[in-house]
């Protein structure tokens, strides 16, 4: 009789534990969904390195909070709240500061430029030839000769422009992004900062007045900040 009582007690305890785990799992599911909406998260393939790190940390902390059901849920809520706050602050700083954005996310890298593979840039990015060929095959490209430009984005995705996409082989290249001169683009198109400033002065404009400017077909196209 005593054994039966203990068995019943343990069974009730197990049921309570399962119910607690269920409640915590549901809570963290809803919480993380809300937090990701708050942080303005994108698709997994578009996450930056910092986004990915924060995501992994949040998932790990949430799993610990679910498993350790005998401890207060605040042991998980506090570090998750800190991570979310830091990520929101980081996102705001990235919007305000181009230098901060480059430190966190890095720069884009041109892997193939006008049909020529930049081996030095590939080595710099630790991006080997097999990686490149895999990406090309995944996009239905049989040979490197079909590619005019291949750009490694800051999120690790490879953007590809085929030779057949534009017979003139002229793509809009950003020279100013949110008031910041893109030095790499100027070098690529054979222009200087002085040339860019002279072009703007013709229209009585300064670098800080420009939200976005791109170069195509030997022409400079501008979008002013007051037009946004």
């Amino acid at each position: 009789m005593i054994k039966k009582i203990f068995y019943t007690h343990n069974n009730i305890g197990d049921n309570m534990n399962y119910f607690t785990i269920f409640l915590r799992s549901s809570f963290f599911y809803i919480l993380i969904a809300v937090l990701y909406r708050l942080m303005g998260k994108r698709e997994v393939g578009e996450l930056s390195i910092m986004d990915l790190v924060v995501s992994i940390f949040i998932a790990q902390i949430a799993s610990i909070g679910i498993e350790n059901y005998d401890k207060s849920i605040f042991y998980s809520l506090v570090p998750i709240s800190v991570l979310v706050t830091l990520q929101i602050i980081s996102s705001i700083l990235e919007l305000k500061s181009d230098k901060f954005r480059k430190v966190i996310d890095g720069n884009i890298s041109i892997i193939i430029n006008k049909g020529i593979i930049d081996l030095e840039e590939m080595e710099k990015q630790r991006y080997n030839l097999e990686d490149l060929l895999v990406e090309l095959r995944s996009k239905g490209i049989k040979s490197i000769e079909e590619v005019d430009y291949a750009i490694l984005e800051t999120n690790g995705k490879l953007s590809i422009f085929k030779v057949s996409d534009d017979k003139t082989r002229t793509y809009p290249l950003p020279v100013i992004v949110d008031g910041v001169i893109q030095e790499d683009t100027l070098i690529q198109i054979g222009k200087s900062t002085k040339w860019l400033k002279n072009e703007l002065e013709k229209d009585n404009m300064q670098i800080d007045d420009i939200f976005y400017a791109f170069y195509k077909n030997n022409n400079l196209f501008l979008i002013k900040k007051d037009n946004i």
Side-chain angles (χ1 to χ4, degrees):
M1 184 68 181
I2 294 174
K3 288 183 179 179
K4 186 176 180 182
I5 291 172
F6 276 120
Y7 172 77
T8 304
H9 175 73
N10 290 337
N11 192 40
I12 293 172
D14 288 340
N15 289 337
M16 287 296 294
N17 291 339
Y18 293 143
F19 183 66
T20 302
I21 292 172
F22 170 77
L23 286 178
R24 288 197 171 211
S25 300
S26 302
F27 172 77
F28 278 111
Y29 174 81
I30 296 170
L31 175 67
I32 291 173
V34 171
L35 291 177
Y36 268 63
R37 291 293 295 173
L38 250 169
M39 291 190 291
K41 294 298 108 178
R42 297 155 287 185
E43 295 177 15
V44 173
E46 296 178 346
L47 293 179
S48 67
I49 293 173
M50 290 302 296
D51 291 333
L52 188 59
V53 169
V54 170
S55 297
I56 292 171
F57 266 103
I58 289 177
Q60 185 65 30
I61 295 169
S63 66
I64 292 172
I66 294 170
E67 292 171 0
N68 298 333
Y69 52 82
D70 56 331
K71 293 184 178 180
S72 172
I73 201 169
F74 287 100
Y75 284 105
S76 295
L77 285 179
V78 172
I80 287 177
S81 300
V82 171
L83 284 172
V84 171
T85 302
L86 289 174
Q87 184 61 9
I88 291 173
I89 293 172
S90 175
S91 298
I92 293 171
L93 289 175
E94 285 187 53
L95 285 173
K96 301 293 183 181
S97 171
D98 184 67
K99 289 182 179 179
F100 184 82
R101 181 166 59 249
K102 286 182 178 180
V103 169
I104 298 299
D105 294 334
N107 294 316
I108 63 170
S109 299
I110 300 176
I111 302 299
I112 299 178
N113 188 354
K114 293 185 178 179
I116 300 173
I117 299 176
D118 191 336
L119 296 176
E120 185 178 341
E121 187 64 29
M122 286 180 65
E123 184 177 352
K124 181 181 175 182
Q125 299 298 327
R126 293 182 292 279
Y127 198 80
N128 60 51
L129 184 60
E130 186 58 33
D131 292 332
L132 178 60
L133 294 175
V134 168
E135 285 294 324
L136 294 181
R137 287 195 295 268
S138 69
K139 297 179 186 299
I141 297 173
K142 300 176 183 178
S143 172
I144 292 175
E145 284 78 12
E146 297 179 40
V147 181
D148 200 5
Y149 284 90
I151 301 172
L152 187 63
E153 307 291 354
T154 56
N155 59 11
K157 287 182 65 177
L158 190 69
S159 299
I160 296 171
F161 300 91
K162 293 183 182 180
V163 175
S164 58
D165 289 342
D166 190 342
K167 299 298 182 183
T168 62
R169 305 184 76 180
T170 54
Y171 300 96
L173 300 172
V175 292
I176 300 176
V177 177
D178 199 10
V180 179
I181 298 173
Q182 306 300 298
E183 301 286 353
D184 293 341
T185 302
L186 289 177
I187 293 171
Q188 185 180 339
I189 63 177
K191 302 293 184 181
S192 65
T193 302
K194 184 178 179 180
W195 166 85
L196 180 58
K197 289 181 178 179
N198 288 338
E199 289 295 311
L200 294 178
E201 286 175 4
K202 291 177 183 178
D203 295 322
N204 297 317
M205 289 186 292
Q206 301 295 323
I207 300 293
D208 293 338
D209 300 328
I210 308 303
F211 177 74
Y212 182 73
F214 62 91
Y215 185 80
K216 182 176 181 180
N217 294 331
N218 297 319
N219 290 310
L220 186 65
F221 298 88
L222 307 172
I223 300 176
K224 296 176 67 176
K225 287 183 179 179
D226 56 14
N227 292 336
I228 303 302

